[in-house]
Amino acid sequence: MKDILHAPFVEEMIDITANMYRLGWDERNGGNISVMLDPDEVAQYLDPDNVIRTIPTGFEAKPLIGKIFLVTGTGKYFRNIPKFPERDLGIIRIAPDGTTAELLWGYSDGGRFTSELPAHLMSHMSRLAVNPDNRVILHCHPTYTLAMNFVHPLEEKAFTHTLWEMCTECLVVFPDGVGVLPWMVCGNNEIGEATAEKMKQYRLVVWGMHGLYGAGKDIDEAFGLVETVEKAAQVYMLIGDRPRINTIRDEELVELGKAFGLDYRKDFLNL
Ligand code: 2HA
Ligand code: ZN
């Protein structure tokens, strides 16, 4: 068996969580990530028959039975993951009943997966139905996106449109736009179901006055989506109340869409 601590998927998780902490998006125990792993790759590092313990998930995830995920731990700080990966991360497999997680590695202090597991697994199901290559769901509290939530309408068309106006790259990076949920209590099945419903259409979902979810085929895609939204939100917040004397006009967004051959949300323009 190879050393799991040097598995590329563990190293990448350590790297991205450290990065997100440094960006200030994951204060204290804020944020959580789940990555679907390739069972053959996992078998190079772990005995798949060695289940350390089982943990109920609290909901049924039938389409994910047998799937294996690397998931950040509940109450754990991204800041500490590089020092304590085996304590603060875990690898779980969804058991044949669809409602139990089999722990294959990690959570070594008796811990468990993030309280947002329902939002993650339900979102995985939604994204996989649209894109069978989806592997990653990532949640964090990016500062400027959060700030923008307090001064901008929490409405999908308006929110997406403003972000598209802030950086030329935005339309190219998320032509599918950004889903928006109102403020809700987090950590339960209800917000999980609402997030997953949005994930049928969007790879990005704002949790009103809480944070942001990103999905992708790998960590680069999910993280890249989030950092692009955050950059646009930063520009928006830097402009503040100052009069805008220049802007990217909708006609120009149309030109951009044509030039890059984008399938974007045309109904999100004001033309
Ligand atoms: O895991 O970010 O939404 C801590 C959170 C809850
Ligand atoms: Zn959160």
Side-chain angles (χ1 to χ4, degrees):
M1 285 284 164
K2 296 201 228 169
D3 178 6
I4 182 96
L5 290 174
H6 291 114
F9 48 84
V10 170
E11 287 186 340
E12 194 180 19
M13 187 69 122
I14 290 171
D15 184 58
I16 198 69
T17 47
N19 234 311
M20 290 168 72
Y21 170 70
R22 295 253 162 257
L23 285 162
W25 302 353
D26 297 281
E27 72 290 343
R28 200 174 181 273
N29 63 320
N32 26 75
I33 305 181
S34 60
V35 182
M36 192 192 289
L37 303 177
D38 171 4
D40 293 334
E41 200 182 351
V42 173
Q44 296 173 27
Y45 301 91
L46 298 172
D47 174 2
D49 296 326
N50 183 23
V51 175
I52 299 167
R53 57 193 157 96
T54 58
I55 314 170
T57 63
F59 67 100
E60 195 171 74
K62 275 225 168 91
L64 300 180
I65 290 170
K67 303 282 189 211
I68 300 175
F69 296 91
L70 173 60
V71 189
T72 52
T74 184
K76 302 302 193 232
Y77 296 15
F78 275 20
R79 177 167 62 80
N80 292 330
I81 291 177
K83 257 172 125 178
F84 304 107
E86 189 158 359
R87 184 193 71 183
D88 296 352
L89 300 174
I91 294 179
I92 57 169
R93 180 175 56 210
I94 305 304
D97 65 3
T99 63
T100 307
E102 300 171 325
L103 182 64
L104 301 179
W105 175 81
Y107 308 142
S108 61
D109 62 351
R112 50 185 284 150
F113 39 74
T114 169
S115 58
E116 305 298 359
L117 194 75
H120 280 254
L121 292 191
M122 292 178 197
S123 293
H124 276 286
M125 291 191 266
S126 289
R127 289 311 307 165
L128 284 168
V130 198
N131 175 11
D133 292 332
N134 196 84
R135 295 288 177 272
V136 176
I137 303 290
L138 175 153
H139 165 65
C140 57
H141 307 155
T143 313
Y144 292 95
T145 306
L146 196 47
M148 183 174 164
N149 277 209
F150 291 87
V151 296
H152 191 285
L154 285 174
E155 193 275 312
E156 282 156 2
K157 174 175 171 171
F159 203 88
T160 300
H161 188 268
T162 299
L163 294 172
W164 282 351
E165 280 180 307
M166 291 300 117
C167 307
T168 299
E169 285 286 295
C170 281
L171 186 79
V172 181
V173 175
F174 51 94
D176 40 348
V178 178
V180 178
L181 289 177
W183 184 90
M184 293 174 78
V185 173
C186 53
N188 57 31
N189 290 356
E190 195 187 344
I191 198 167
E193 282 157 14
T195 310
E197 191 55 38
K198 294 292 179 195
M199 284 277 180
K200 290 178 183 170
Q201 288 187 61
Y202 301 105
R203 292 171 298 158
L204 283 158
V205 179
V206 168
W207 275 12
M209 290 162 284
H210 177 139
L212 189 56
Y213 265 78
K217 64 181 188 318
D218 51 26
I219 282 185
D220 274 351
E221 183 182 357
F223 179 81
L225 285 165
V226 168
E227 70 176 338
T228 306
V229 167
E230 174 64 353
K231 177 63 173 276
Q234 182 174 6
V235 174
Y236 179 77
M237 295 309 295
L238 283 171
I239 296 169
D241 289 332
R242 276 139 77 190
R244 218 186 286 177
I245 57 171
N246 298 303
T247 196
I248 305 173
R249 292 178 298 109
D250 280 15
E251 292 77 6
E252 291 169 328
L253 291 173
V254 170
E255 270 183 58
L256 189 64
K258 272 195 201 129
F260 283 78
L262 302 173
D263 180 18
Y264 62 100
R265 286 291 300 255
K266 298 189 177 61
D267 57 323
F268 280 5
L269 296 181
N270 296 313
L271 287 171

